[in-house]
Amino acid sequence: MFEWLADNWWALWLTVFLVFAVVEMLTLDLFFIMLGGGALAGLAASLGGADLWLQIVIFSVVSLLMVGFVRPIALKHLRSSPADQRSNIERLIGEPAVVLEQVSSAGGLVKIGGDVWTARLDSGVLEPGQTATVSAIDGATAVVVPRGGTAALDPGAAESGA
């Protein structure tokens, strides 16, 4: 078996790459996939007929370059997202809300984009049918501000909570 491995180093590089890929899937920190890129470079060098010492040098250099230059750029792109790609509750801020049950500083219910949320108002009272704007999300409660005017509300919607 060792004779076969000595003639087929590409298999070892492929195994190393697969191990790094699995570890990356478990950690999700974009470090091991960079080492996996180095392993693929070692695999390419092996298939190109390079000696083992050169394959190891290529693996090391490519891995270091990817960790030093590619990873920071990839992390920066992953951490910054445009406003139109906001996720989860961030998307609700600024959205209109229809009051289903009276909302005051003590609480109430509003409908935001088809979902019913508990809500509160910093000061004042909003009556059923009025509209508000979501200013923040505090846990599972929408903090709303008066918007003015009333919304057309299905009479049964406030009673059924839909």
Side-chain angles (χ1 to χ4, degrees):
M1 176 169 165
F2 291 113
E3 293 173 8
W4 181 84
L5 187 58
D7 293 334
N8 298 292
W9 284 108
W10 64 268
L12 179 66
W13 289 115
L14 182 60
T15 303
V16 169
F17 167 73
L18 292 174
V19 167
F20 283 143
V22 168
V23 172
E24 179 64 36
M25 285 188 279
L26 296 173
T27 62
L28 298 174
D29 65 356
L30 293 181
F31 180 76
F32 290 98
I33 199 66
M34 300 299 154
L35 296 178
L40 287 178
L43 184 142
S46 175
L47 291 176
D51 292 332
L52 179 60
W53 67 270
L54 184 57
Q55 294 173 33
I56 294 171
V57 168
I58 290 172
F59 163 76
S60 301
V61 169
V62 170
S63 293
L64 285 173
L65 289 174
M66 289 188 76
V67 168
F69 295 107
V70 177
R71 184 174 181 262
I73 294 169
L75 286 174
K76 186 176 106 178
H77 284 287
L78 282 176
R79 290 185 181 140
S80 66
S81 63
D84 62 340
Q85 291 182 354
R86 295 178 299 170
S87 63
N88 299 330
I89 61 173
E90 293 173 351
R91 290 182 183 202
L92 297 176
I93 297 174
E95 290 293 313
V98 178
V99 177
L100 299 177
E101 286 182 10
Q102 185 182 57
V103 177
S104 65
S105 60
L109 288 178
V110 295
K111 189 172 191 176
I112 307 169
D115 294 322
V116 177
W117 282 72
T118 57
R120 77 169 188 268
L121 187 64
D122 287 334
S123 63
V125 174
L126 289 173
E127 295 298 328
Q130 287 185 298
T131 58
T133 302
V134 178
S135 64
I137 302 292
D138 182 18
T141 302
V143 180
V144 296
V145 294
R147 189 173 196 185
T150 58
L153 180 65
D154 178 17
E159 294 169 10
S160 67

